[in-house]
């Protein structure tokens, strides 16, 4: 089922040939599934869920295959190794790091914490909604602050919306479904100021993809500011969406709100894979390069059809189709393409995640045929 990435696939990203040449050596080291060139409704190109369609790094796969041999044992010791690896990469003390099976458990628990505190959640809108929807499900109040006219998170409006009842603030940076970033100095000031009044959760699920000098991770803030939590995931650039590894960074006392002292939720196979994947920078560079190639195909489509779009800082795009995204998703599925779901209030905007260049070209060509 697997094979070396094909020359044809490689050349499909033609416009970024220089970068491609550097990455082509890396590509040789990656055994990736063939692109899906015969998509059908039941075997669709996965442009809807912000996954990494290349699969985990080969080295990580090897480590996980090896770990399968002892997968029947209660072996949670790899967490100490993984924590050390992450601590060294991020330059954050090990006692400021918690791990779980994805970042969702941390976002959900933060939602519970907001209810235990009987507080209100403040969040931009639209954004990734696990934390807010958990709080809402438990009967909590959420203040949704609409994005500004550039469709960026509006920190000033969030300041204005702040009340004494707000005990938790969620910010996704880069945001999802709109792949904008928040200017680093403004966000830093906001976090420091607001963390005196509430817990701030910064979700950096897509930060590895950002190639923008105005962006900075907020992870370093956690050593100085007790009320700041940064969430990360291996589901995106590391392709661990189905393997499930995520991290939370915060002061040890704050971490106890959302994580036990000892992590019993992650399997050894996943941890062994993550230990290798986070050190496999070659693989991460390869994925970033392929993401750029597919992104270039989409930008060309949007320019061609004159469709407004948001410059992406992630592995997905958001563009104004000018017709209901639900309708488009139904139609594209008939042609073997999974398109992003509807995101209110931007019901005529569409979110697509990058797939392999040949698949991306098929998505672009199909859209053009249907709506161009
Ligand atoms: C912004 C954001 N945060 C968190 C997650 C959840 O990630 P995980 O797979 O780590 O639970 C996603 C998944 O799409 C996401 O887009």
């Amino acid at each position: 089922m697997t094979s070396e990435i094909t020359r044809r696939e490689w050349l499909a990203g033609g416009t970024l040939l220089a970068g491609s040449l550097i990455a082509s050596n890396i590509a040789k080291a990656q055994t990736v599934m063939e692109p899906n060139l015969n998509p059908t409704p039941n075997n669709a190109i996965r442009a809807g869920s912000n996954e990494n369609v290349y699969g985990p790094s080969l080295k990580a796969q090897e480590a996980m295959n090896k770990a399968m041999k002892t997968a029947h044992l209660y072996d949670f010791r790899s967490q100490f190794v993984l924590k050390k690896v992450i601590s060294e990469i991020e330059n954050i003390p090990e006692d400021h790091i918690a791990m779980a099976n994805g970042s969702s458990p941390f976002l959900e628990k933060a939602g519970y914490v907001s209810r235990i505190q009987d507080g209100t959640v403040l969040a931009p809108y639209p954004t990734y909604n696990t934390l807010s929807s958990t709080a809402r499900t438990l009967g909590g109040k959420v203040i949704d602050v609409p994005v500004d006219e550039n469709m960026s998170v509006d920190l000033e409006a969030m300041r204005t919306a702040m009340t004494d009842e707000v005990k938790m603030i969620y910010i996704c940076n880069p945001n999802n479904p709109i792949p904008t970033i928040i200017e680093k100095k403004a966000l830093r000031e906001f976090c420091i100021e607001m963390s005196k009044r509430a817990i701030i959760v910064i979700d950096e699920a897509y930060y590895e993809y950002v190639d923008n000098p105005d962006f900075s991770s907020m992870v370093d803030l956690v050593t100085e500011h007790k009320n700041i939590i940064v969430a990360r995931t291996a589901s995106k650039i590391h392709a661990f969406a189905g393997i499930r590894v995520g991290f939370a960074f915060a002061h040890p006392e704050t971490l106890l709100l959302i994580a036990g002292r000892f992590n019993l939720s992650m399997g050894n196979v996943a941890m062994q894979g993550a230990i290798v994947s986070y050190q496999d920078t070659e693989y991460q560079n390869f994925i970033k390069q392929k993401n750029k190639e597919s992104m270039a195909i989409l930008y060309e489509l949007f320019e061609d059809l004159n469709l407004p779009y948001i410059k992406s800082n992630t592995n997905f795009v958001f563009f104004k189709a000018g017709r209901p995204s639900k309708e488009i998703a139904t139609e594209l599925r008939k042609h073997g393409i999974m398109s992003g779901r509807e995101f209110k209030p931007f019901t005529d905007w569409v979110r697509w995640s990058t797939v392999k260049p040949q698949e991306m070209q098929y998505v672009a060509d199909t859209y053009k045929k249907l709506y161009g």
Side-chain angles (χ1 to χ4, degrees):
M1 285 302 286
T2 57
S3 79
E4 285 236 329
I5 191 161
T6 64
R7 187 176 156 70
R8 271 193 312 139
E9 178 183 8
W10 190 249
L11 291 176
T15 50
L16 288 148
L17 199 58
S20 299
L21 287 175
I22 300 164
S24 69
N25 292 331
I26 300 167
K28 283 194 194 104
Q30 296 297 329
T31 302
V32 295
M33 305 253 294
E34 288 283 7
N36 181 357
L37 297 181
N38 295 302
T40 62
N42 291 326
N43 177 35
I45 290 173
R46 299 182 66 90
S49 315
N50 297 355
E51 295 151 336
N52 169 349
V53 292
Y54 290 90
S57 113
L58 256 194
K59 290 177 189 161
Q61 289 188 40
E62 226 171 80
M64 288 188 278
N65 284 337
K66 199 165 155 219
M68 277 307 291
K69 297 200 170 69
T70 52
H72 56 294
L73 304 176
Y74 283 122
D75 187 354
F76 299 102
R77 286 168 302 172
S78 328
Q79 65 186 284
F80 303 117
V81 181
L82 179 54
K83 207 176 262 195
K84 190 162 188 302
V85 167
I86 299 299
S87 162
E88 276 167 15
I89 292 172
E90 300 296 339
N91 197 22
I92 298 291
E94 288 175 43
D95 63 354
H96 283 58
I97 304 171
M99 303 180 297
N101 47 335
S103 58
S104 295
F106 294 124
L107 300 177
E108 281 166 7
K109 283 187 185 145
Y112 297 149
V113 169
S114 76
R115 286 308 292 131
I116 292 165
Q117 295 173 326
D118 199 18
T120 296
V121 173
L122 180 68
Y125 184 74
T127 194
Y128 193 69
N129 70 0
T130 295
L131 195 158
S132 297
S133 68
T134 303
R136 273 199 180 97
T137 304
L138 297 172
K141 194 174 155 211
V142 179
I143 301 174
D144 290 320
V145 180
V147 291
D148 67 16
E149 67 281 2
N150 299 317
M151 295 175 84
S152 296
V153 171
D154 191 339
L155 292 183
E156 268 326 296
M158 289 184 75
R159 267 196 184 91
T160 306
M162 185 69 185
T163 68
D164 288 342
E165 280 70 51
V166 171
K167 302 262 170 60
M168 179 98 42
I169 301 177
Y170 172 77
I171 289 183
C172 186
N173 189 40
N175 199 9
N176 175 15
I178 310 171
T180 51
I181 54 145
I182 305 170
E183 197 280 319
K184 57 190 176 195
K185 195 163 163 277
L187 180 58
R188 192 164 285 267
E189 280 167 13
F190 180 90
C191 289
I192 293 171
E193 175 192 336
M194 291 301 175
S195 67
K196 293 175 185 132
R197 301 175 63 187
I199 294 175
I200 320 291
V201 178
I202 306 289
D203 183 346
E204 296 184 342
Y206 298 93
Y207 92 101
E208 295 100 332
Y209 286 103
V210 186
D211 190 8
N212 185 333
D214 287 339
F215 173 87
S216 164
S217 166
M218 294 295 127
V219 79
D220 59 294
L221 289 182
V222 305
T223 52
E224 300 266 327
H225 303 275
K226 208 168 167 182
N227 269 347
I228 297 176
I229 299 173
V230 172
R232 296 268 186 85
T233 180
S235 295
K236 305 303 170 181
I237 207 162
H238 294 276
F240 272 43
I243 302 165
R244 314 298 301 142
V245 173
F247 303 93
F249 299 84
H251 185 280
E253 273 174 38
T254 309
L255 279 183
L256 281 179
L257 296 172
I258 54 169
R261 282 186 193 279
F262 191 76
N263 156 52
L264 295 170
S265 81
M266 286 166 83
N268 187 41
V269 175
M271 290 192 282
Q272 292 291 348
I275 288 166
V276 172
S277 190
Y278 274 85
Q279 297 179 89
D280 192 350
T281 47
E282 212 182 18
Y283 169 81
Q284 292 161 50
N285 289 335
F286 165 71
I287 297 300
K288 274 189 256 187
Q289 179 58 36
K290 300 308 284 180
N291 185 52
K292 280 186 184 159
E293 289 174 33
S294 292
M295 200 60 83
I297 293 169
L298 293 179
Y299 287 171
E300 199 180 310
L301 170 76
F302 302 149
E303 299 291 345
D304 228 28
L305 299 186
N306 221 1
L307 297 170
Y309 67 99
I310 303 296
K311 215 84 179 124
S312 178
N313 292 282
T314 62
N315 66 343
F316 58 88
V317 291
F318 201 52
F319 70 97
K320 187 174 166 74
R323 61 184 84 225
S325 56
K326 269 187 179 170
E327 236 173 61
I328 292 171
T330 306
E331 195 53 35
L332 287 180
R333 189 64 187 243
K334 290 182 200 154
H335 292 81
I337 297 165
M338 281 168 67
S339 185
R341 65 177 174 82
E342 178 188 72
F343 294 99
K344 286 179 181 149
F346 300 106
T347 52
D348 64 345
W349 286 67
V350 171
R351 193 191 72 183
W352 282 340
S353 24
T354 56
V355 286
K356 293 174 191 168
Q358 278 175 308
E359 298 172 334
M360 206 79 265
Q361 195 61 58
Y362 173 79
V363 173
D365 293 346
T366 306
Y367 187 87
K368 210 166 175 178
K369 235 183 273 166
L370 291 169
Y371 305 111

